[in-house]
Amino acid sequence: MAKLLVLTLLGLGLALFRDHRSSYQTRLNAFREVDPVELPNCNLVKGIEAGSEDLEILPNGLAFISSGLKYPGLKSFEPDKPGKILLMDLNEEDPTVLELRIIGSKFDLSSFNPHGISTFTDEDDTVYLLVVNHPDLKSTVELFQFQEEEKSLLHLKTIRHKLLPNMNDIVAVGPEHFYATNDHYFVDPYLKSWEVYLGLAWSYVVYYSPNDVQVVADGFDFANGINISPDGKYVYVAESLAHKIHVYEKHTNWTLTPLKVRRINTISLQNDN
Ligand SMILES: *[C@@H]1O[C@H](CO)[C@@H](O)[C@H](O)[C@H]1NC(C)=O
């Protein structure tokens, strides 16, 4: 009788494990077949061989590109070199990239590890570039002023906060004001991997400003990209491991109300509306 009970429990454990394993693989899209596609109007842009996590295009056609992210579990193509911010002028016939020089005595270039980026342009046309940085795998936001003539970024300030422990992407709504996604809840690498493996969905979105910081949305299975509509009324959050895009209404007090969720079943170049 005892043997039967042990066997039943073992079987049950194994079944639960199998079930969990398969849902984990589904969350990661481990079984997706990737078909080659023809890209007739695309050109390879040279000089971004270390990969890119994010890009941001100004209304005048200048694009900032974040390159060289080192992130646990992801392959790094230039493990011994710091990351960089590239500039590309999309008005050119055959645009090339140029590395922006970073100036500012207090900024440590050797540990620069840029992830999500966003820009904010104020009334007198000063362009600020806000960059999620992971120096030594920590999370900070670096605030830069873009100097177009000099093709450089002047480092103004580093922002850290206990509600910004695992930033992935940001969207700026002021020079020092932004929404940010935290792709994990835990900071400890061991707890982080269990958090993802078990699918706890404890990832969250924060609003940051110098005198008000608050969690504005939570319960995500890996909150990743974040953006805002051109009219500033809606905020969009990509939930990677759930394959969903969330749409929120943004209020004047910066809180967000969920409006709708769009499930992304296939990544397709065709319009699937
Ligand atoms: C923020 O504004 C919304 C919409 O006006 C309101 O429903 C909500 O209660 C406000 N929240 C706080 C914390 O003031």
Side-chain angles (χ1 to χ4, degrees), residues 209-225:
S209 70
N211 29 25
D212 169 32
V213 188
Q214 48 175 310
V215 176
V216 288
D218 59 10
F220 297 97
D221 192 1
F222 209 104
N224 200 324

Side-chain angles (χ1 to χ4, degrees), residues 214 249 251-257:
Q214 48 175 310
E249 184 182 355
H251 300 293
T252 45
N253 60 18
W254 305 105
T255 62
L256 301 176
T257 305

Side-chain angles (χ1 to χ4, degrees), residues 170-209:
I170 48 174
V171 58
V173 291
E176 290 181 52
H177 311 66
F178 54 85
Y179 289 98
T181 53
N182 283 297
D183 55 26
H184 290 76
Y185 172 84
F186 290 114
V187 176
D188 178 84
Y190 183 74
L191 294 178
K192 262 188 187 173
S193 43
W194 276 102
E195 176 186 346
V196 171
Y197 184 67
L198 295 175
L200 297 179
W202 287 358
S203 155
Y204 56 99
V205 176
V206 167
Y207 170 72
Y208 178 94
S209 70

Side-chain angles (χ1 to χ4, degrees), residues 81-96:
K81 284 194 188 161
K84 48 197 172 186
I85 303 294
L86 305 166
L87 184 72
M88 188 168 174
D89 185 351
L90 301 178
N91 303 302
E92 287 170 12
E93 184 77 23
D94 193 10
T96 53

